[in-house]
C-alpha cells in the first residue's frame, strides 16, 4: 500500500451480511450497494471508499486491513448480530478508535448503520454501547404494520423491497450521506490529503474525485 494513500471511508461489516440472495434483481450484496450509493446523488461529495472485497490476491489480510483502517478518515460500521459475533470486526473498530486518538467512551468519526433493532442483539461489547448512545446515524431496519418481524430496507435491493420500504431506504441513505459528506468536508479543510507524487514534482495537489 502506498504510504501516502488515504481513504475517506472504511466500511466495517460482517461478510455474512453482504450475500446476494437467489432471485434478487441486484448482482451485489446489500452492503456493497450501500457503499456504492454513498457516492451517488445530487451534490454528493466524491469519496474514496474502501470495502475489503477490494483487496487484491496476495494482500496480507490482517495487516493490510488494519493499515487501511488506520489511514481512513471515517469508519462506517454495519451493526448487526453477525458484526457483534465477529472478532475481526471488533478488532477493526478498536483499531480505528485507538489510532484516531479517540476515547473509547467518546468515540468520534464512526458512523453507525443499524441494520436490525438493537434490542434484539446479544453480547454487546461496551464500545458498541457507547457508539449507540452517541453516534447512531442511520437505522435501515423497518417495522411494517401488522408484522411480527422487522425488515431491512432495501434488501435484497430497493427495487425488490416494495415502494414504502424502498422510500425508507432512500430517505435514510440520504441522511447518512449528508452527515458523512459534511464531516468529510470539515476534515478535508483541516488536513487536506497530499498527493505525494505531485508534491515531489512541485505540482498542485487536490482531493480525488472517485472511490
Amino acid at each position: 500500500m502506498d504510504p501516502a494513500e488515504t481513504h475517506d471511508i472504511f466500511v466495517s461489516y460482517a461478510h455474512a451480511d453482504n450475500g446476494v440472495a437467489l432471485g434478487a434483481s441486484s448482482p451485489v450484496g446489500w452492503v456493497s450497494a450501500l457503499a456504492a450509493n454513498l457516492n451517488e446523488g445530487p451534490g454528493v461529495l466524491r469519496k474514496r471508499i474502501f470495502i475489503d472485497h477490494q483487496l487484491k490476491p496476495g494482500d496480507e489480510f490482517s495487516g493490510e486491513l488494519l493499515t487501511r483502517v488506520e489511514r481512513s478518515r471515517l469508519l462506517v460500521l454495519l451493526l448487526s448480530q453477525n458484526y457483534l459475533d465477529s472478532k475481526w470486526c471488533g478488532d477493526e473498530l478498536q483499531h480505528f478508535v485507538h489510532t484516531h486518538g479517540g476515547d473509547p467512551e467518546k468515540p468520534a468519526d464512526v458512523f453507525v448503520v443499524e441494520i436490525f433493532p438493537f434490542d434484539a442483539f446479544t453480547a454487546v461489547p461496551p464500545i458498541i454501547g457507547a457508539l449507540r448512545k452517541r453516534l447512531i446515524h442511520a437505522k435501515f431496519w423497518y417495522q411494517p404494520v401488522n408484522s411480527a418481524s422487522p425488515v431491512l430496507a432495501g434488501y435484497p435491493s430497493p427495487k425488490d423491497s416494495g415502494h414504502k420500504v424502498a422510500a425508507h431506504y432512500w430517505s435514510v441513505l440520504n441522511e447518512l450521506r449528508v452527515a458523512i459528506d459534511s464531516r468529510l468536508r470539515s476534515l478535508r479543510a483541516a488536513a487536506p490529503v497530499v498527493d505525494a507524487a505531485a508534491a515531489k514534482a512541485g505540482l498542485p495537489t487536490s482531493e480525488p474525485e472517485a472511490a
Side-chain angles (χ1 to χ4, degrees):
M1 181 175 179
D2 185 337
E5 185 174 355
T6 300
H7 303 293
D8 291 308
I9 297 172
F10 183 96
V11 180
S12 184
Y13 71 103
H15 280 231
D17 293 330
N18 198 34
V20 180
L22 294 177
S25 63
S26 174
V28 300
W30 191 91
V31 177
S32 294
L34 177 72
N37 283 331
L38 291 176
N39 256 341
E40 301 298 336
V44 70
L45 177 68
R46 300 298 294 173
K47 300 171 281 292
R48 279 185 171 175
I49 300 174
F50 181 81
I51 183 168
D52 68 12
H53 57 62
Q54 295 170 229
L55 286 175
K56 301 180 293 296
D59 284 343
E60 183 181 349
F61 183 74
S62 58
E64 176 74 2
L65 280 185
L66 290 180
T67 297
R68 290 182 184 274
V69 168
E70 185 172 344
R71 294 180 182 164
S72 297
R73 285 171 161 149
L74 306 178
L75 186 84
V76 172
L77 185 162
L78 283 293
L79 186 57
S80 69
Q81 189 63 55
N82 287 328
Y83 189 95
L84 297 174
D85 291 343
S86 168
K87 179 183 182 301
W88 184 253
C89 289
D91 289 346
E92 289 177 349
L93 174 58
Q94 293 284 357
H95 191 67
F96 182 88
V97 172
H98 174 73
T99 57
H100 287 68
D103 179 347
E105 295 300 316
K106 298 179 180 180
D109 292 330
V110 179
F111 285 74
V112 179
V113 173
E114 194 172 292
I115 63 177
F116 203 74
F118 186 84
D119 291 344
F121 297 153
T122 60
V124 180
I127 191 171
I128 294 292
L131 283 168
R132 186 171 188 268
K133 284 189 292 186
R134 296 175 57 84
L135 296 170
I136 285 288
H137 290 276
K139 295 182 180 180
F140 277 89
W141 58 271
Y142 179 87
Q143 182 67 56
V145 177
N146 300 323
S147 175
S149 301
V151 298
L152 176 58
Y155 180 83
S157 76
K159 183 177 180 180
D160 300 322
S161 57
H163 176 73
K164 184 176 290 188
V165 180
H168 178 81
Y169 173 86
W170 293 115
S171 175
V172 176
L173 173 65
N174 185 64
E175 292 176 5
L176 175 64
R177 186 171 49 208
V178 168
I180 286 173
D181 287 1
S182 176
R183 179 57 179 155
L184 281 174
R185 285 190 172 96
S186 296
L187 291 173
R188 287 183 179 185
V193 171
V194 175
D195 183 321
K200 186 175 180 180
L203 301 174
T205 60
S206 62
E207 287 288 350
E209 294 190 356

